């Protein structure tokens, strides 16, 4: 009996470094590698290509535009259009060699769509974030309705509600993590509660709200700010440090920078804060914290409430420092039994809903179905 030939899946990724969407992709590749012939488009050599090499997955370099995320200037639009032409000219060559195109970034979806029109290859679009601009929304909504876009994977129900496309196209598949990497860390309550905010230090993450709320709570605490300072956002770091000094919090707020030992940090803190002030489709930090048995206090925006659930932490009103302060007080007043119950519930929720093995199998089955 002849062995069935593996189908070729071409994955298009817009970044050469690794952030949330790229981590998700790297997590699921091992579950797709055995059943499909995989190739990944990246814009340049970098952390992403290094990780693909380690996984034994072929990568293809097609450069794209790294435009200014803060204030787009005329030159940013010119660069974007220039690279759009390059992408549209080169991509169809690789599309024609593939059976299915898997788009892992909204940024390059327009290029991929035009290349797909030329090559007539079907698309799966994995959506990790919401595009807020009106013009961008119109373009994305038009593409989402196209017959060439066969399925749209969204990382939360909240994000799915933002996508304008036929309901039978949209599939909710939560992000997953390697649960073996995170263990249920036992930590006895101390008089001083240790909090962490983990993620890039940018205004959207809501550090200012958290710092003001911690001051208002009047509890004994330490706050660990973990994450990199993005280029162009130095003004925000200075704003944070100025506020910390004004509130006399310099001794208890600690900037740890970008770290690779998140598992250890999670075991040393009591709670993780996710005070985002803009729509956030999902939070990998939340499920990593929960997998470590750490309760999460997050804002009620986007997919964050879906992730946290009822017994794994608290949800506070968006951009509301008073409500966040009250949730912090509630946590500080919880007795040992309540704290242990929250830790166990957080871990259990992570195991039941956010196992990368389940995510990989679901995505693999979806690709099989389309092929």
């Amino acid at each position: 009996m002849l062995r069935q030939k593996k189908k070729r899946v071409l994955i298009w990724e817009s970044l050469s470094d690794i952030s949330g969407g790229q981590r998700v992709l790297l997590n699921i590749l091992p579950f797709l590698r055995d059943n499909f012939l995989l190739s990944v488009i990246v814009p340049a050599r970098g952390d992403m290509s290094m990780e693909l090499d380690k996984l034994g997955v072929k990568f293809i370099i097609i450069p794209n535009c790294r435009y200014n995320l803060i204030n787009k200037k005329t030159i940013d639009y010119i660069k974007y259009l220039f690279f759009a032409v390059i992408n549209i000219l080169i991509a169809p060559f690789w599309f024609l060699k593939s059976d299915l195109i898997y788009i892992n970034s909204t940024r390059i979806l327009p290029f991929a769509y035009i290349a797909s029109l030329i090559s007539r290859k079907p698309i799966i679009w994995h959506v990790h974030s919401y595009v807020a601009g009106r013009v961008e929304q119109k373009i994305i909504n038009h593409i989402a309705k196209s017959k060439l876009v066969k399925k749209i994977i969204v990382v939360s129900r909240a994000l799915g509600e933002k996508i304008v496309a036929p309901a039978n196209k949209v599939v909710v598949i939560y992000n997953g993590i390697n649960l073996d990497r995170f263990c249920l860390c036992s930590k006895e309550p101390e008089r001083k509660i240790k909090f962490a905010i983990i993620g890039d230090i940018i205004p959207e993450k809501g550090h200012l709200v958290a710092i003001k709320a911690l001051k208002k709570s009047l509890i004994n605490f330490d706050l660990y700010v973990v994450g990199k300072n993005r280029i162009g956002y130095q003004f925000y770091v200075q704003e944070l440090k100025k506020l910390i000094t004004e509130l006399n919090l310099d001794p208890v707020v600690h900037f740890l920078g970008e770290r690779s030992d998140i598992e250890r940090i999670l075991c040393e803190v009591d709670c993780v804060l996710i005070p985002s002030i803009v729509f956030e489709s999902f939070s990998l930090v939340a499920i990593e914290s929960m997998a470590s048995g750490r309760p999460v206090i997050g804002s009620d925006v986007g997919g964050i409430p879906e992730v946290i659930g009822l017994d794994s932490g608290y949800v506070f009103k968006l951009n509301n420092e008073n409500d966040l302060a009250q949730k912090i007080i509630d946590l500080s007043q919880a007795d040992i039994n309540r704290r242990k119950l929250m830790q166990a519930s957080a871990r259990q929720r992570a195991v039941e809903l956010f196992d990368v093995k389940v995510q990989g199998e679901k995505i693999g089955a979806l690709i099989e179905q389309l092929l």
Side-chain angles (χ1 to χ4, degrees):
M1 187 175 179
L2 291 175
R3 190 174 180 181
Q4 187 176 9
K5 187 179 179 181
K6 287 184 179 180
K7 297 290 187 178
R8 296 180 178 274
V9 177
L10 178 64
I11 301 167
W12 199 342
E13 173 51 58
S14 67
L15 297 181
S16 56
D17 50 9
I18 298 174
S19 192
Q22 294 70 47
R23 286 166 59 197
V24 171
L25 176 59
L26 291 170
N27 282 341
I28 64 173
L29 284 179
F31 300 95
L32 305 180
R33 184 177 49 193
D34 294 338
N35 297 318
F36 310 103
L37 292 174
L38 302 177
S39 299
V40 180
I41 296 175
V42 293
R45 290 183 178 273
D47 293 341
M48 192 67 185
S49 61
M50 289 174 59
E51 291 301 319
L52 291 171
D53 267 338
K54 291 177 186 177
L55 291 172
V57 175
K58 174 185 174 182
F59 66 87
I60 301 156
I61 295 177
I62 301 181
N64 65 32
C65 178
R66 288 298 299 267
Y67 48 77
N68 192 319
L69 292 174
I70 306 170
N71 295 310
K72 294 185 182 66
K73 301 177 181 178
T74 303
I75 189 66
D76 293 311
Y77 292 103
I78 293 172
K79 286 180 180 178
Y80 187 84
L81 292 173
F82 173 76
F83 281 101
V85 173
I86 292 177
N87 282 220
I88 292 164
L89 289 174
I90 298 175
F93 171 79
W94 295 103
F95 278 32
L96 287 167
K97 293 185 175 185
S98 309
D99 298 296
L100 180 75
I101 314 303
Y102 188 103
I103 305 301
N104 197 53
S105 168
T106 302
R107 182 185 305 195
I108 46 84
L109 180 64
F111 313 153
Y113 174 63
I114 296 173
S116 182
L117 285 173
I118 296 169
S119 62
R120 307 310 298 174
K121 295 297 180 177
I123 288 176
I124 289 181
W125 173 32
H126 196 156
V127 196
H128 298 279
S129 58
Y130 175 61
V131 177
R134 287 186 180 181
V135 175
E136 291 91 335
Q137 279 181 15
K138 287 183 179 180
I139 294 171
I140 296 303
N141 290 341
H142 173 74
I143 295 172
K145 295 173 186 176
S146 166
K147 291 182 180 179
L148 283 172
V149 179
K150 300 300 181 183
K151 288 292 179 181
I152 302 171
I153 300 172
V154 294
V155 297
S156 64
R157 294 192 303 274
L159 180 58
E161 292 170 359
K162 298 279 188 180
I163 304 297
V164 180
N168 61 351
K169 275 192 182 185
V170 181
V171 182
V172 179
I173 301 180
Y174 287 133
N175 290 333
I177 56 171
N178 181 355
L179 292 169
D180 295 333
R181 183 183 157 204
F182 301 90
C183 60
L184 180 58
C185 309
S186 59
K187 184 179 185 299
E188 294 301 319
E190 303 173 22
R191 291 189 64 185
K192 178 177 277 194
I193 300 181
K194 296 179 180 179
F195 295 90
I197 301 176
I198 302 172
D200 290 355
I201 305 177
I202 55 178
E204 292 83 353
K205 295 298 181 182
H207 299 78
L208 290 170
V209 178
I211 291 167
K212 292 175 184 177
L214 284 164
K215 178 66 175 181
K216 286 188 175 183
S217 71
L218 301 178
I219 67 166
N220 194 8
F221 74 91
D222 274 306
L223 172 64
Y224 299 91
V225 179
V226 183
K228 66 182 177 183
N229 301 335
R230 274 198 201 170
I231 295 173
Y233 284 87
Q234 291 85 348
F235 73 93
Y236 181 62
V237 177
Q238 293 170 2
E239 187 179 354
L240 283 178
K241 291 184 175 180
K242 180 181 178 183
L243 175 66
I244 290 164
T245 300
E246 288 174 353
L247 298 179
N248 297 315
L249 296 178
D250 290 278
V252 295
V253 180
H254 317 278
F255 288 83
L256 303 186
E258 188 175 10
R259 298 286 289 265
S260 59
D261 57 343
I262 296 300
E263 305 94 325
R264 185 177 70 81
I265 291 171
L266 288 173
C267 283
E268 293 179 356
V269 302
D270 298 283
C271 176
V272 172
L273 303 177
I274 304 178
S276 302
I277 60 173
V278 297
F279 185 94
E280 191 160 339
S281 307
F282 193 89
S283 173
L284 283 174
V285 170
I287 60 176
E288 290 173 347
S289 306
M290 291 159 60
S292 303
R294 294 296 169 261
V296 178
I297 304 178
S299 52
D300 62 348
V301 63
I304 294 174
E306 286 179 58
V307 175
I308 297 174
L310 296 176
D311 298 317
S312 306
Y314 302 88
V315 175
F316 71 95
K317 295 175 184 177
L318 175 65
N319 208 12
N320 189 320
E321 61 199 62
N322 293 322
D323 193 32
L324 175 53
Q326 187 56 57
K327 299 301 188 294
I328 290 169
I329 293 169
D330 290 348
L331 176 70
S332 69
Q333 293 176 346
D335 60 25
I336 293 177
N337 291 333
R338 170 64 178 154
R339 295 259 193 104
K340 288 184 176 179
L341 176 62
M342 290 179 69
Q343 290 176 3
S345 296
R347 174 67 186 185
Q348 183 180 358
R349 186 170 177 81
V351 170
E352 290 178 353
L353 294 180
F354 308 118
D355 186 345
V356 70
K357 295 176 183 177
V358 176
Q359 181 195 27
E361 289 169 0
K362 285 182 177 180
I363 292 175
L366 189 63
I367 294 173
E368 286 279 11
Q369 175 190 339
L370 292 177
L371 290 173

